[in-house]
Amino acid sequence: MSVVIPTHNEEQAIGRVLADLPADIVTEVLVVDSNSTDGTCEVAAKMGARVLHEPRRGYGRACLTGLAGANSPDIVVFLDGDYSDRPDELPLILAPIMEGRADITLGSRLKKQSVRGALPWHAAFGNRLAAVLIRLLYGLTISDLGPFRAGRADVLRRLELQESTYGWAVEMILKGSLAGFRIVEVPVSYYPRIGKSKISGTLKGTVGAGWFILSRIVGYYFRHRRSGTPPDRVTLEP
């Protein structure tokens, strides 16, 4: 199992993230760094992570670089480097795949009580709106587009993911749903991130993420509809 962690100036948090990863089930950790100017890379390397440098900007780009650089895993996990998700909950994310019930699992920050203020109201609203559109257009009932997620490596490669920026979060869900793969959502904890958010903490990031995500949801639907094949319904965990 490979864990991919995109980072940009996460020196204060990355050590805690790496320390909390369950060592007995993680095969390799890839920290994909985008031009950090602090000690993120040094801390990650010192703690045993393999550091990949990705100078091109974009969250999705970092995830794609990590996926391409993983050493032949069966499962790939994606996890933010700001310690807002809890790495010790990794078994919750993996369970549906390990038990043969899912091909992709999504950690929902909105189905479990989280620390007050951890997810700004506008970010929670945007995620709920996106989830409603996905349910209406794709028949897939989810609650969140959270970054803590996992997928079978062969499935992720078959999806041919391409989004390099904010659209990464939803592309995996939409393509997975349209291809008929089993998508399971599980509740995960969520805490205030260490450091300033690059997306929900800024107006530019919020507007940009919202535009990319909503346009991709609608765009993928109509593109698939023009092909004459209705979206497949996937199996969800209650």
Side-chain angles (χ1 to χ4, degrees):
M1 186 187 69
S2 299
V3 177
V4 175
I5 307 175
T7 59
H8 176 69
N9 290 338
E10 310 287 4
E11 180 182 10
Q12 297 179 354
I14 191 62
R16 301 182 70 176
V17 173
L18 296 175
D20 284 3
L21 283 171
D24 57 329
I25 57 177
V26 175
T27 307
E28 67 171 349
V29 180
L30 298 94
V31 170
V32 185
D33 189 74
S34 178
N35 304 315
S36 286
T37 56
D38 61 6
T40 299
C41 297
E42 291 76 11
V43 173
K46 184 177 180 180
M47 296 191 66
R50 179 151 59 96
V51 178
L52 303 180
H53 296 278
E54 177 48 79
R56 295 169 294 180
R57 298 182 62 182
Y59 179 80
R61 175 61 61 190
C63 292
L64 289 170
T65 297
L67 179 60
N71 187 21
S72 301
D74 296 310
I75 300 172
V76 181
V77 176
F78 299 93
L79 172 69
D80 279 356
D82 57 16
Y83 206 56
S84 53
D85 295 303
R86 286 302 185 252
D88 58 4
E89 292 187 344
L90 186 56
L92 299 177
I93 294 289
L94 292 175
I97 298 177
M98 300 291 288
E99 295 168 5
R101 298 184 287 111
D103 303 303
I104 297 170
T105 55
L106 309 172
S108 173
R109 303 163 293 182
L110 301 176
K111 294 183 70 173
K112 186 174 182 178
Q113 187 66 37
S114 298
V115 175
R116 184 179 179 85
L119 190 65
W121 71 267
H122 53 278
F125 173 78
N127 275 271
R128 291 187 187 279
L129 176 60
V132 169
L133 280 177
I134 290 172
R135 176 174 59 81
L136 293 176
L137 297 179
Y138 297 81
L140 176 63
T141 304
I142 60 173
S143 63
D144 191 17
L145 308 180
F148 197 7
R149 56 181 63 189
R152 288 171 40 198
D154 59 332
V155 168
L156 296 178
R157 293 192 173 99
R158 284 179 61 185
L159 294 181
E160 298 182 347
L161 302 170
Q162 299 176 349
E163 293 286 349
S164 62
T165 55
Y166 306 121
W168 161 267
V170 74
E171 183 189 22
M172 183 189 302
I173 299 171
L174 302 182
K175 285 188 173 180
S177 176
L178 291 172
F181 290 116
R182 300 166 298 168
I183 301 176
V184 170
E185 188 177 65
V186 296
V188 295
S189 303
Y190 198 67
Y191 293 80
R193 60 161 290 141
I194 297 176
K196 184 178 180 180
S197 173
K198 287 79 173 176
I199 299 179
S200 61
T202 66
L203 178 61
K204 179 181 178 181
T206 300
V207 173
W211 167 253
F212 269 84
I213 290 172
L214 297 179
S215 65
R216 268 38 178 191
I217 292 172
V218 176
Y220 274 114
Y221 173 78
F222 283 106
R223 189 184 311 167
H224 193 78
R225 188 175 181 180
R226 284 196 298 268
S227 71
T229 305
D232 295 303
R233 184 179 299 272
V234 296
T235 303
L236 297 180
E237 186 77 358

